[in-house]
Amino acid sequence: MGFDIHRLAKGRPLFLGGEAIPYPLGLEGHSDADVLVHALMDAMLGAAGLRDIGHYFPPGDPRYCNISSLELLGEVKKLVAGKGYRLVNADMVVIAEAPRLAPHVEKMKKNIARILEVSEGALAVKATTAEGLGPCGCGEAIAAQAVVLLQARSPE
Ligand code: MG
C-alpha cells in the first residue's frame, strides 16, 4: 500500500498519473510532485519488501528536480523486477476537492500502463472528494492512496 499528500500552490503545473491537468494550482514538491504516481511507487516498493521512495530518490538530489514521476516509476519497476516480482494489478484513488478528474482517468491509466508494461485493465484510477473536510477538502492539498498485487516471476 502507498500513501502520499502534496500541498497545492500557485505557479506549479498539476501532474496526476503523468497527465498535465489544466488547473490554476499545481502540487509543490522536488519532482513534478505527481502524488498519484508517488503513492503507486511506494505501494510497489513495499509489496516487494523494498524501502520507501525517499530512500531511492532523495528529495534534495538535483537529479530529481522537476523530473517526471513517470521516469521514477520506470526505475521502481526495475527495482521490483530485480527482486523477482511483476505487477499483477494496482488500485489507486486520488482525494481532491477540485479539479474534476474523471475526464483524465483513462489517459492516466494509459501513461502508467505504458511504463509498467501492463494492460490498462490491470489498473484502476478513482477520484473522490473529501466532502470539504481537512486539507484535501478545503483545497490546500491533494492526496492519493494505492494498493498493488505483485506476483513472483516464474524462473526463466
Ligand atoms: Mg510525494
Side-chain angles (χ1 to χ4, degrees), residues 4-6 31 33-35 38-39 53:
D4 199 16
I5 183 166
H6 281 256
S31 65
D34 188 327
V35 70
H38 291 188
I53 53 174

Side-chain angles (χ1 to χ4, degrees), residues 1-14:
M1 59 161 292
F3 170 80
D4 199 16
I5 183 166
H6 281 256
R7 188 184 294 275
L8 282 161
K10 283 185 183 153
R12 291 273 300 178
L14 177 60

Side-chain angles (χ1 to χ4, degrees), residues 2 15 26 33 36 46 58 62 66 74 87-88 93 117 119 129 133 153 156:
F15 283 99
L36 176 60
N66 289 327
L87 183 83
V88 177
V93 59
E117 296 177 288
S119 83
T129 70
L133 298 166
R153 293 144 75 103
E156 275 141 38

Side-chain angles (χ1 to χ4, degrees), residues 35-55:
V35 70
L36 176 60
V37 173
H38 291 188
L40 174 60
M41 291 195 285
D42 247 359
M44 291 177 63
L45 290 167
L50 294 163
R51 296 183 63 178
D52 59 46
I53 53 174
H55 173 77

Side-chain angles (χ1 to χ4, degrees), residues 36 91-95 101 105 108-109 124-128 145 147:
L36 176 60
D91 189 9
M92 296 161 267
V93 59
V94 182
I95 302 121
L101 297 178
V105 160
M108 293 183 203
K109 283 169 60 175
V125 174
K126 297 161 331 202
T128 186
Q145 295 184 6
V147 60

